[in-house]
Amino acid sequence: MRLIDAPWEQIFKRYKLHEHDFDKEPYVITASQIKEATRSFKETGQREVRILCKQDAREDRPKIFIEHGLFILPVKNGAYVILKGEGYVDISPPPLPQSYESRLEFELETAKVGDSEMQHLDYAYATSLIRHFTEEPTLILTIRGRKYTPEFSFYVGSYSRPIVVRSVQTEV
């Protein structure tokens, strides 16, 4: 049993999610509800909302989600929807590694300071690696870091109403 399985079992039991008709509509759950249902757990990973709701890949889902064909999405800060359906996309494997010669005519000294994801992305952009990889010569850097989305909506599976997302944190 994985660390997140027992808390999600407790959440389902507490809010009677076994009785919810996920074929008809998603279930909205708040961070406060998740905290309340998991407060008796001792491990941080079993009561921390961001950890429990971080299900980036199919295999990251708790057992109860897998058994019922469910996935979770954030819809606003502190609120989530649990939905029935396939919430994941298979991504093709990356191409085989290739050598790349930087287009910079000098050594970028700032690339030697620190070791963050953002720093590596900046270096890949500065050396034109990203333009080369995407085959887009006019690619420009616009936004990055943590941002909040504008409101948007989309449909999932056979649900008759759209899922509306309002100001969810993303990281670019």
Side-chain angles (χ1 to χ4, degrees):
M1 183 181 267
R2 293 173 311 145
L3 205 57
I4 64 168
D5 290 334
W8 276 108
E9 286 285 345
Q10 180 67 25
I11 293 164
F12 268 64
K13 183 179 177 182
R14 170 89 180 237
Y15 300 112
K16 299 180 173 52
L17 294 181
H18 294 290
E19 298 171 15
H20 183 77
D21 187 356
F22 287 100
D23 288 319
K24 184 178 176 189
E25 63 185 2
Y27 185 88
V28 178
I29 190 163
T30 66
S32 298
Q33 288 175 297
I34 294 169
K35 284 180 187 178
E36 178 61 30
T38 60
R39 68 183 168 152
S40 65
F41 288 92
K42 304 236 184 294
E43 296 278 336
T44 301
Q46 292 184 299
R47 56 179 202 279
E48 179 67 42
V49 175
R50 67 178 176 76
I51 295 171
L52 292 171
C53 294
K54 186 179 184 305
Q55 301 173 21
D56 295 340
R58 285 180 189 95
E59 57 274 8
D60 295 337
R61 296 176 298 160
K63 183 179 175 190
I64 198 160
F65 277 60
I66 294 168
E67 290 170 350
H68 295 283
L70 304 173
F71 66 102
I72 191 167
L73 290 174
V75 289
K76 71 178 188 174
N77 207 10
Y80 301 84
V81 288
I82 301 173
L83 308 108
K84 187 162 193 168
E86 178 54 57
Y88 302 89
V89 174
D90 294 321
I91 298 174
S92 301
L96 295 173
Q98 300 174 10
S99 294
Y100 176 76
E101 191 73 31
S102 170
R103 296 197 183 157
L104 285 176
E105 296 176 9
F106 54 89
E107 190 171 350
L108 191 58
E109 292 293 324
T110 56
K112 297 176 185 176
V113 179
D115 191 26
S116 69
E117 291 174 357
M118 195 68 69
Q119 184 178 12
H120 291 289
L121 287 172
D122 286 346
Y123 184 75
Y125 181 77
T127 61
S128 293
L129 174 62
I130 296 175
R131 288 187 185 108
H132 174 77
F133 179 78
T134 60
E135 297 178 354
E136 179 52 62
T138 61
L139 188 71
I140 58 171
L141 188 60
T142 58
I143 64 167
R144 62 193 185 132
R146 291 184 184 151
K147 306 288 182 201
Y148 288 88
T149 65
E151 183 173 316
F152 66 95
S153 63
F154 57 95
Y155 288 89
V156 173
S158 60
Y159 292 128
S160 60
R161 289 187 288 191
I163 306 300
V164 179
V165 176
R166 292 181 181 90
S167 192
V168 170
Q169 181 178 308
T170 61
E171 189 162 349
V172 181

